[in-house]
């Protein structure tokens, strides 16, 4: 993979460059050597943001992550892109499409096809601050993150709600009902 790393309001130090190439280099097994990875690091006040765009045949793989620490943002963006690649892989396999920029190993990798043996196992816990927002704003935030659902504090009711994307492209809202 060819990395194109730039910075906005931040100097791309050798340490940052090494962290990006090391973390995103894990994805190298999926792509052909000539695949370009466009990385933009930026700082706005306390926000350390990384944007990664990987053009692949007929589509792009993209993620943008923000945190208070650039190295945390780098870790987050790698996890999101790997999840997107699993979804994309399944779509390619279903449609029997041309593999484009992907190596054959991408399709042979079994981690996306792991079957559950019946045991429920929580493998990751996420914690994040919840700020009050309106459901429509939560939908926009969910779309920007590329997620299928988004947990937020409803500014109208002061309750924790969830918005989610429905199969037909519309949105749903889950509100708690206490008995």
């Amino acid at each position: 993979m060819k990395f194109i790393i730039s910075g906005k309001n931040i100097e791309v130090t050798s340490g940052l460059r090494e962290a990006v190439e090391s973390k995103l280099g894990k994805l190298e097994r999926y792509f052909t050597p000539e695949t370009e990875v466009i990385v933009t690091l930026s700082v706005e006040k306390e926000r350390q943001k990384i944007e990664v765009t990987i053009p692949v045949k007929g589509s792009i793989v993209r993620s943008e992550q923000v945190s208070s620490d650039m190295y945390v943002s780098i870790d987050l963006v790698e996890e999101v892109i790997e999840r997107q690649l699993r979804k994309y892989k399944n779509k390619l396999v279903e449609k029997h499409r041309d593999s484009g920029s992907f190596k054959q190993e991408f399709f042979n990798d079994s981690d996306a096809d792991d079957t559950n043996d019946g045991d429920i196992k929580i493998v990751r816990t996420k914690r994040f601050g919840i700020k009050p927002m309106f459901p429509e704003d939560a939908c926009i935030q969910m779309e920007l993150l590329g997620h299928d659902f988004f947990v937020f504090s409803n500014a109208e009711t002061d309750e924790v709600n969830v918005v989610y994307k429905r199969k037909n492209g519309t949105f749903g809202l889950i509100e708690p009902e206490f008995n």
Side-chain angles (χ1 to χ4, degrees):
M1 295 184 338
K2 298 176 184 173
F3 290 94
I4 301 168
I5 304 172
S6 61
K8 292 181 184 172
N9 301 327
I10 186 173
E11 179 187 341
V12 181
T13 63
S14 60
L16 282 174
R17 180 175 299 280
E18 197 173 295
V20 168
E21 290 179 359
S22 168
K23 200 67 171 169
L24 296 178
K26 293 178 183 177
L27 305 173
E28 193 169 42
R29 63 186 172 161
Y30 300 131
F31 296 101
T32 57
E34 62 274 359
T35 303
E36 287 186 348
V37 179
I38 303 158
V39 180
T40 305
L41 307 173
S42 61
V43 176
E44 301 167 6
K45 296 184 182 179
E46 301 287 319
R47 299 168 24 118
Q48 309 276 319
K49 181 166 78 170
I50 180 171
E51 299 172 55
V52 177
T53 305
I54 307 171
V56 294
K57 189 172 186 176
S59 187
I60 63 168
V61 178
R62 184 181 187 289
S63 180
E64 177 180 309
Q65 295 298 312
V66 178
S67 75
S68 59
D69 183 295
M70 186 60 78
Y71 293 96
V72 171
S73 296
I74 293 168
D75 288 345
L76 291 172
V77 83
E78 186 269 335
E79 291 172 10
V80 170
I81 288 178
E82 190 139 27
R83 187 171 57 242
Q84 289 175 343
L85 287 173
R86 284 192 200 106
K87 287 171 74 174
Y88 187 66
K89 172 185 173 180
N90 290 338
K91 286 182 183 179
L92 284 178
V93 170
E94 286 172 16
K95 294 182 178 185
H96 303 290
R97 284 181 36 179
D98 179 24
S99 63
S101 298
F102 292 100
K103 290 182 181 177
Q104 188 58 40
E105 288 84 357
F106 179 67
F107 297 100
N108 297 337
D109 186 15
S110 63
D111 64 351
D113 301 323
D114 287 345
T115 55
N116 194 342
D117 59 4
D119 294 337
I120 296 173
K121 184 176 180 182
I122 297 173
V123 296
R124 183 166 181 229
T125 300
K126 288 179 89 171
R127 297 182 190 278
F128 56 93
I130 297 180
K131 67 176 187 173
M133 60 176 60
F134 294 98
E136 293 79 11
D137 296 329
C139 289
I140 292 168
Q141 185 67 43
M142 174 183 65
E143 288 288 297
L144 288 172
L145 293 170
H147 292 174
D148 296 325
F149 68 93
F150 187 77
V151 180
F152 69 103
S153 173
N154 191 322
E156 297 170 331
T157 63
D158 290 327
E159 293 179 329
V160 174
N161 288 181
V162 176
V163 289
Y164 62 96
K165 191 160 193 161
R166 298 171 45 106
K167 289 181 181 177
N168 65 2
T170 60
F171 299 98
L173 174 67
I174 299 174
E175 297 177 316
E177 183 176 89
F178 301 101
N179 296 331

